[in-house]
Amino acid sequence: MCADDTGAGDALASAFVVAMAAGRAPGDALAQGLRAARVTIACPQSTCHSLSPALVGAPRSRTRTCGVNRT
């Protein structure tokens, strides 16, 4: 469910760059970026303050929600 797509592109790009800088393969870095974007889109806030490496998770993990309650 898309709550708000604000910041999804920024989350994707940021997670991708961080993963690449950490030495991850481009495909893995892209997957991490896409997970970050997915978490951001599911967050009911315009900017997901809960977004973190732990929330985005490891490769092939299920995407978690941000934990912010919808109002």
Side-chain angles (χ1 to χ4, degrees), residues 2-48:
C2 181
D4 189 342
D5 65 356
T6 303
D10 294 334
L12 187 151
S14 298
F16 176 80
V17 169
V18 167
M20 289 295 294
R24 306 261 310 263
D28 291 338
L30 179 58
Q32 183 167 329
L34 290 171
R35 285 191 300 272
R38 194 175 306 129
V39 168
T40 301
I41 288 170
C43 186
Q45 297 176 328
S46 292
T47 303
C48 187

Side-chain angles (χ1 to χ4, degrees), residues 35 38-40 42 51 53-58 61-67:
R35 285 191 300 272
R38 194 175 306 129
V39 168
T40 301
L51 191 61
L55 185 63
V56 172
S61 67
R62 291 194 315 245
T63 299
R64 296 168 185 91
T65 59
C66 69

